[in-house]
Amino acid sequence: MNALERVLRFREYAVTSSPPPERLAAECLQAIEALGFRYFACCSHVDPFDPPAQSVMVHNYPRAWVRTFSETKLYEIDPVLLRAESALVPFFWDTDLSPGTLTEAQRIIMAEAAGYGLSHGYTIPLHISWQPGIHRASCSVIPDGEQVDAENYLMAEMLAIYLYLFVSRGHAPWLDPPPVPLTKRQRECLALVALGKDDWSIGRLMGLGATTVHDHVEQLKRRLGVSTRPQAVAQALMTGQLTFAELTQRRRTRMMEVALAPSASPRG
């Protein structure tokens, strides 16, 4: 089972079974582990031991660390959470949270977290949670080793967003379909975004310029009311603006194109 299939399987399970958050979290953890990650945390930025109403708290972090995090109110100064509240795109802790940009207290937080195996993380800001009455949130994954495929980080991003959406759907007004549906061209662009393609690659496949593709993606993000591309994919799938058939068909088509492409020019 490839990475995309794991994401689609998780989404299908959540839709058809409507499991409780605990079971949903367990299924997500299995998918996350299969992608090469050991820990994940999909949480509102609140006290993990006393979360308020309309918050999400799903993680498998070591309990001892979570207790310390709660008792000393580290959630108020955690550099990962603060960065997630201002960042527009996902970020790696190692590159975006360099010691020189942190306070002494924040450096201590990162060092203590590393002692529990929480290091080299990757965090996905959840801007879709920034609605009236909804707490800001983010999802983080911690690799189990040093080598994790770049595609798996994208798929972990999708899993994290799905998990948050399904757990919070009881207070998620943004799950309603947008008043203006996506156009066929926008759905085509978004399907390729879901497969990890950048603007230049999408333009090559669709016969468009990279700038035109970028404009299409920005327009569809505005229609869906989201800030990032992975969020747009998740939102479109959740509201029926994008279908799994479109994703799987484009993946199969691309695989056939690669398989049929000549490996070298014919010899004369």
Side-chain angles (χ1 to χ4, degrees):
M1 184 183 300
N2 61 44
L4 178 59
E5 288 170 343
R6 292 187 187 281
V7 175
L8 298 182
R9 180 178 177 180
F10 174 76
R11 192 270 185 188
E12 194 67 20
Y13 168 75
V15 169
T16 59
S17 303
S18 297
E22 297 79 9
R23 188 59 200 165
L24 194 63
E27 291 293 324
C28 185
L29 176 59
Q30 290 184 13
I32 288 287
E33 289 178 339
L35 293 176
F37 300 96
R38 182 180 182 185
Y39 292 114
F40 83 99
C42 189
C43 304
S44 300
H45 298 172
V46 297
D47 185 341
F49 272 3
D50 188 24
Q54 293 191 334
S55 62
V56 172
M57 191 60 56
V58 180
H59 64 83
N60 70 336
Y61 276 12
R63 186 172 180 80
W65 169 246
V66 177
R67 182 175 296 280
T68 297
F69 198 82
S70 171
E71 292 177 347
T72 55
K73 298 184 178 182
L74 298 184
Y75 51 87
E76 295 180 351
I77 62 170
D78 182 358
V80 173
L81 303 188
L82 294 179
R83 171 74 179 180
E85 292 180 0
S86 61
L88 296 178
V89 296
F91 57 91
F92 288 96
W93 298 0
D94 291 346
T95 55
D96 290 79
L97 298 175
S98 59
T101 65
L102 308 180
T103 66
E104 180 63 23
Q106 290 174 333
R107 287 194 289 272
I108 292 174
I109 291 175
M110 299 302 291
E112 290 183 350
Y116 287 92
L118 304 174
S119 59
H120 311 299
Y122 179 75
T123 295
I124 302 100
L126 291 172
H127 296 286
I128 47 179
S129 68
W130 296 8
Q131 303 288 330
I134 304 299
H135 300 279
R136 292 184 175 181
S138 61
C139 289
S140 296
V141 291
I142 310 297
D144 199 18
E146 294 183 1
Q147 298 297 326
V148 176
D149 291 342
E151 181 187 27
N152 287 7
Y153 278 99
L154 177 62
M155 294 302 106
E157 217 174 306
M158 295 296 299
L159 281 169
I161 293 171
Y162 276 140
L163 179 65
Y164 180 83
L165 287 171
F166 280 114
V167 171
S168 65
R169 58 187 165 187
H171 47 268
W174 59 85
L175 295 185
D176 294 332
V180 182
L182 301 182
T183 66
K184 180 180 178 181
R185 181 57 58 86
Q186 288 173 340
R187 290 199 310 272
E188 291 173 344
C189 288
L190 192 55
L192 291 169
V193 167
L195 296 178
K197 305 298 182 184
D198 59 19
D199 292 345
W200 183 85
S201 300
I202 294 172
R204 293 271 293 182
L205 292 169
M206 297 181 62
L208 302 172
T211 300
T212 300
V213 171
H214 180 79
D215 291 341
H216 280 311
V217 174
E218 290 303 305
Q219 290 171 9
L220 68 87
K221 282 163 56 181
R222 286 194 292 271
R223 287 192 177 189
L224 293 170
V226 299
S227 302
T228 70
R229 295 183 176 208
Q231 291 167 1
V233 174
Q235 175 78 347
L237 286 169
M238 290 285 290
T239 58
Q241 293 288 299
L242 188 65
T243 67
F244 296 120
E246 290 174 281
L247 293 183
T248 54
Q249 181 58 43
R250 286 199 168 273
R251 186 179 181 87
R252 291 195 190 103
T253 301
R254 181 56 183 158
M255 291 175 66
M256 290 178 61
E257 290 173 350
V258 172
L260 294 174
S263 58
S265 302
R267 295 180 182 272

